[in-house]
Amino acid sequence: MKKHHLLLATALLALPSLLHAQTSSVPGFINYRGRVLNSSGGLVGSGTPVNRTVIFRVWDHPSNTTAANLLYSEEQTVTIAEGDFSVLVGQGVSTNSTQFGYSETAKKLADVGAAFGGSGRYLGVTVDDGTAAADNEITPRQQMVSSAFSFRSKVAESLASSSGTALAVADSGRIGVGNTAPPALFTITGANSSTTTNTPQMLITADDMTERLRLGVDSSGNSTGFLQTWKEGTGATNLLLNPNGGNVGIGNTNPTAKLDVTGTIAASGAITSGGAISALGSGGHVFNSGDLDGGLFSPADGVVTLNTNGNERMRLNALGNVGIGTSSPNSTLHVNGSCTFGPTSGNNFVVTGNQIQHYSNGTQAPMFLNWTGGSVVVGNGDPSKGLLAVGPGIAANLNANKFFDGTVNIIVSGGGGTLNTSIYATNWIITGNGYTAVSDARIKRIDGVSDGASDLDTLSKIQITNYHYKDMVSNGGEQHKKLIAQQVEQVFPQAVRRTTDVIPDIYQRASFKDGWVTLDTNLKKGERVRLVTKKEETVFEVLQAKAGAFRTDLKTDDAEIFVYGREVKDFRSVDYDAVSMLNVSATQQIKKEKDAEIAALEAKLAAQDKRLGELEAKDKARDAKLAAFERLLHANAKATAHRVSLKPHAGAE
C-alpha cells in the first residue's frame, strides 16, 4: 500500500467569507502549503524537484467517503521540491477519479467557497507517487479552522466606501444603507429634494437597466413619499399592484375588495367602471355642489330614487320595478302619465292609456313595427311563426271548456315550426276582399304544365274527413269536414309540411311542487312538454322522469297546473292552396275528357244525320214514282178497264 505523510504548514490563509460578502476583486481561493514525505520518511523531490498530481477534497466528515459527504473535489499538477509545495485550492480542474466508487466530476464547484456552508469541514489530500498503482488519501484528514480574528467575520458589520460606511449591519440584525444606526430591519437614507423621482432613495431594475421602479421620500420637509415606474428615454410606465391576486388597502389594514379605501376619494378626471359603483351612507348623492335638493337618493333599503327640486321623479324599488310619476311601480316599467317617444315635434309616437298613436309634425301618420326586422306578436302568438304572429281570439261559447274548471279562463294558442310565414293565426282570418298571392312568372323557374290525368287520379284518392278537435278550449267543439294531413301525405306529400309544435296528447290537470309534476305519463328525459299555469303557458324540457311524475325548471306558486302535451318535430299541416290547385288541374282534365266525349258524340250524330238525309231523299224519290204510277193508272182506267197488278217486276223499285 502506498503511504505518504503530509505536514500541513500553511492553510486557509484566504478562505472566502461564508456570507459571500466579498467583491469581485477578492479571489475565491484557499492558499495551501504542505510538505510530503515518502514511506521511508524521506523528502519527496529531494535534490531534484518532481511534478505530482495532487487531489484536494473538502468533506463534511473526518472519515466517511460517501458521495453525500464529499462537498468539493479538484486536482492539480504541483511541483514538489525538498518535500515542499504551495498551491491555491480552487484553481484546479475536475477530478476524474472514481476511487470511492462514484464519479467526482460534478463535485468541482465554480467557487470553492460554496462548499463552506457549515462549521465542520475536513481537507483530504491525495498525492500521486509517480507509479500506476492507485493512490490513497492521506490520513487523517485535516479539519479546517479559523484564525483568531476571523471569528468576527461571521457577522458582516459594514461595507465601506471612500466617503464612509455604505452598508452597515447592527448587532440587532438591522441593515442600513447610508445609515449606521438603522431604525428598521432595512433602512435606506439619502437626500431627495422633490418627488420628481429623478433621485429616488431606492431603485429596482430589470435586466434592462433602463426599466426601473423608483421609491423615495421628499427631503424638502413635505415628507411626501413616491413610488414610480419609469423607462429611461420613454417616461412613466404602468404600475401593477397585486397583479396575480390579493386586495389593496388604503387607509385600512383589512381590505375586502381589490381596492379598499377608507376615506374620501377625489378625482380631477372621469371615474369609469366596468361593473357597479356603490356608495354607502345616508342622504342623497349630489351630482354637483350647486344642486343640494337633487340627485340620487336611497330613502329605504333596496330603493333608489331620482329627485329634482326636492321632488321624487323616478323610483327603482327592491323588486327591480321602475316607476316614473309613481312611487309604487307594479311592473318592470310603470309610467303614470303619457309617454312620448321621439322629439316634441316631427316624427314621434305617444302612448296614452291603452292607445298608441304615431304623429308626423302633429298629424296622425302610419306606424311601422319592426321595419328593419324581427317579428311582431299580437295576443298570445308565437314569434317563430312569421313577421306577424297573432294569438287566438275569445269565443263566447268556450266558458265550459276552461282548463281549471272555472277558476281561470286560459286560452292556449297552437302552432309551431319554422315555415316562412308572414302571418300566423290560430283561428280564422276574415277579410272583406279576400287575399292575393304573389305569382309573377319572373320570380319562378317553370318546370312544365301539370299532368291533369295524374292530378285527377291523385285528387280522387284524397279523403274528406269529419272530425272534432281534442283541444276544444282553443278550437271549439263544432264538427269539421276537412282533410287529415297524414292521409293527404300518403297520396299528395308536396301539400304537407312538417314543423315543430305541441300536440294535446296528455291534456290533464296535475299537482305541482318544487318543479315536480305528479302525473302518470310516458314522457322521457329530454322531451319537451307544454305546461299551463294560471298566469302563462310555456314549453319546458323534461329534466327527470320517473313512474308517476316528471320534473322541469318551471317556477310557479301554483299547486295545480295543466299538462297540455308534448312537443313533436313532425307536426303536419296541409297546404290547402296546393290541394285547391290540384282540384283545378283535375277539373280541367275532366273538362278535356268530357269535351272529347261530346266531340265524338257530335261527329257520330252528324254521320247519322247525313245517313238519315240520304234515306229521306230516297223516300222522296220513291214517293214521286208511286205518285206517277198512280196518275198513269188513273189515266188508263178511264180509257179501258183492264185488270192490272201493281206488283213490281223483278229489278224494279
Side-chain angles (χ1 to χ4, degrees), residues 2 6 47 50 85 144-145 147 177 196 202 219 255 281 322 335 338 350 359 423 439:
K2 294 184 179 180
L6 183 143
V50 295
F85 70 92
M144 297 181 180
V145 296
S147 62
V177 177
T196 60
M202 183 174 179
S219 301
V322 176
V335 180
S338 62
V350 178
Y359 293 93
I423 299 177
S439 187

Side-chain angles (χ1 to χ4, degrees), residues 403-441:
F403 286 138
F404 290 96
D405 294 339
T407 302
V408 63
N409 187 7
I410 296 181
I411 306 299
V412 180
S413 66
T418 56
L419 293 177
N420 295 325
T421 307
S422 296
I423 299 177
Y424 179 90
T426 303
N427 291 334
W428 294 96
I429 297 177
I430 300 175
T431 173
N433 296 318
Y435 68 92
T436 61
V438 175
S439 187
D440 195 303

Side-chain angles (χ1 to χ4, degrees), residues 345-415:
S345 62
N347 284 325
N348 57 38
F349 69 91
V350 178
V351 179
T352 304
N354 61 352
Q355 298 178 357
I356 301 177
Q357 180 62 56
H358 175 229
Y359 293 93
S360 176
N361 295 320
T363 303
Q364 294 178 350
M367 180 180 295
F368 298 90
L369 301 177
N370 284 357
W371 64 276
T372 60
S375 299
V376 176
V377 179
V378 179
N380 194 26
D382 188 338
S384 67
K385 299 300 190 290
L387 293 179
L388 176 62
V390 183
I394 299 177
N397 63 346
L398 297 181
N399 289 335
N401 296 322
K402 299 171 184 176
F403 286 138
F404 290 96
D405 294 339
T407 302
V408 63
N409 187 7
I410 296 181
I411 306 299
V412 180
S413 66

